Amino acid sequence: MEKESRTIVFASHNAHKTEEMRRICGERFRIVSLADLGCDTDIPENGLTLEENAEAKARWVYERYGMECFADDTGLEVDALGGAPGVHTARFAGPECDARANVDLLLERLRGVSDRRARFRTVIAHMDTSGVLRLFHGTAEGSIAEARRGVAGFGYDPVFVPEGSVLSFAEMGADEKNAISHRGRATAGLITFLQSTLSPLT
């Protein structure tokens, strides 16, 4: 008899991130997105930190659906830009701009800059069916390339080169990226916790 997967809501409308999370979490957990729930509401992200935004999104889902859920918020921190875009990573070039515009602006701001050190930070906020909140963190140190490289991934992946690699995230296979990425590391912490809560029969 096959083991039934445990359903957990991922508080995101981003199809790329959802697929990445499903790949990382594996078959023991059935990850459903907001779209799977028929929810098209744009959850407000008005926090001053990644932690505040992740928690706000998780609480929003829990209060409306009462289901186990988790939300993430990720920031790209560039040393030469004083840690920007940080909490504004997804809207760096403006609220209506897309990933291409964000990357274009980043490359423009770093034109001629030699110090290209940067890091991705992810915070995951998880809420269980009792409404208990837990936070998980992941960081990937690296640098910003001078031009886009690779076609895989999404967001800033074509210009982020992780420490110890000559490839950008967009030049890596999904499993290779997930093993060292900020989101992969934060999700690993979440999975370790979730597995500790599984009963022997699940």
Side-chain angles (χ1 to χ4, degrees):
M1 183 176 181
E2 293 186 1
K3 298 175 181 178
E4 185 176 348
S5 298
R6 175 165 151 192
T7 299
I8 307 176
V9 179
F10 177 35
S12 177
H13 292 292
N14 189 312
H16 293 292
K17 284 171 61 174
T18 300
E19 182 56 36
E20 190 170 272
M21 282 294 189
R22 285 173 176 156
R23 189 178 185 94
I24 297 171
C25 289
E27 298 180 356
R28 298 293 295 278
F29 306 101
R30 176 173 173 261
I31 306 301
V32 299
S33 68
L34 294 177
D36 294 324
L37 296 180
C39 173
D40 58 5
T41 302
D42 191 14
I43 304 175
E45 297 182 48
N46 302 317
L48 299 179
T49 66
L50 302 177
E51 288 81 1
E52 289 178 0
N53 280 338
E55 179 178 347
K57 289 186 284 187
R59 287 194 183 281
W60 190 95
V61 171
Y62 179 77
E63 289 171 0
R64 283 158 181 77
Y65 297 96
M67 298 174 67
E68 181 177 15
C69 61
F70 67 95
D72 82 321
D73 200 28
T74 293
L76 175 64
E77 301 171 348
V78 181
D79 288 356
L81 300 181
V87 73
H88 303 296
T89 293
R91 301 171 293 280
F92 188 38
E96 304 302 322
C97 289
D98 59 12
R100 174 164 288 277
N102 287 335
V103 172
D104 285 344
L105 179 59
L106 178 64
L107 293 177
E108 176 62 30
R109 293 276 181 88
L110 291 178
R111 187 187 302 273
V113 176
S114 58
D115 180 4
R116 306 181 76 86
R117 290 174 298 172
R119 70 204 48 81
F120 267 122
R121 284 203 310 119
T122 290
V123 177
I124 292 178
H126 170 266
M127 296 195 76
D128 63 21
T129 53
S130 299
V132 175
L133 175 75
R134 293 175 179 83
L135 297 179
F136 304 89
H137 299 78
T139 301
E141 297 284 346
S143 61
I144 304 301
E146 294 186 358
R148 290 178 174 83
R149 291 160 40 185
V151 296
F154 58 94
Y156 296 84
D157 284 357
V159 294
F160 186 80
V161 180
E163 199 171 69
S165 176
V166 297
L167 302 177
S168 73
F169 272 162
E171 293 176 299
M172 296 180 177
D175 291 339
E176 183 181 5
K177 173 193 170 184
N178 291 337
I180 61 173
S181 77
H182 46 294
R183 187 169 293 108
R185 288 168 172 165
T187 306
L190 171 65
I191 292 173
T192 296
F193 166 74
L194 292 176
Q195 288 178 335
S196 74
T197 67
L198 289 172
S199 72
L201 297 179
T202 59

